[in-house]
Amino acid sequence: APGMQKEQAPGVQKEQEVQGKIKSVDPSGKEVTLEDGTKLMIPDKVKVKKDALKEGAIIKASYREEGGQKVVTRINVRADRKS
């Protein structure tokens, strides 16, 4: 229907989800790289235990594309259960 596009500001993408295993974590703790090469920026306002973000951890995150970067809006770290 016409007029349905007005909710999104220009250039603002809707949230997307990504899931994967962390390959590396930036020393600042603000950026993680997944095994598939996806880089995620984690802003200060996103609450996550920094010690949970480590190599090999499985994460599920929601993010928005902003200025060519994937900026996390929510992130969950799956507990690593050794079976």
Side-chain angles (χ1 to χ4, degrees), residues 45-63:
K45 65 178 185 252
V46 174
K47 296 287 176 245
V48 62
K49 291 195 180 83
K50 296 290 187 224
D51 58 356
L53 294 174
K54 55 185 188 288
E55 281 181 44
I58 305 287
I59 62 155
K60 184 176 184 181
S62 299
Y63 68 87

Side-chain angles (χ1 to χ4, degrees), residues 16 33 48 59 77:
Q16 300 182 61
T33 304
V48 62
I59 62 155
V77 181

Side-chain angles (χ1 to χ4, degrees), residues 14 16 20 26 30 32 34 43 54 56 58 65-66 75 83:
K14 65 179 191 291
Q16 300 182 61
D26 186 80
K30 293 193 192 309
V32 298
L34 303 183
K54 55 185 188 288
I58 305 287
E65 290 269 0
E66 286 178 29
I75 187 167
S83 47

Side-chain angles (χ1 to χ4, degrees), residues 2 7 14 17-18 20 22 24-25 27 33 38 40 45-46 52-54 67 71-73 78-81:
E7 292 165 31
K14 65 179 191 291
E17 285 208 337
V18 65
I22 295 177
S24 63
V25 183
T33 304
T38 303
L40 298 170
K45 65 178 185 252
V46 174
L53 294 174
K54 55 185 188 288
V71 180
V72 171
T73 53
R78 293 247 283 291
D80 188 21
R81 289 198 181 80

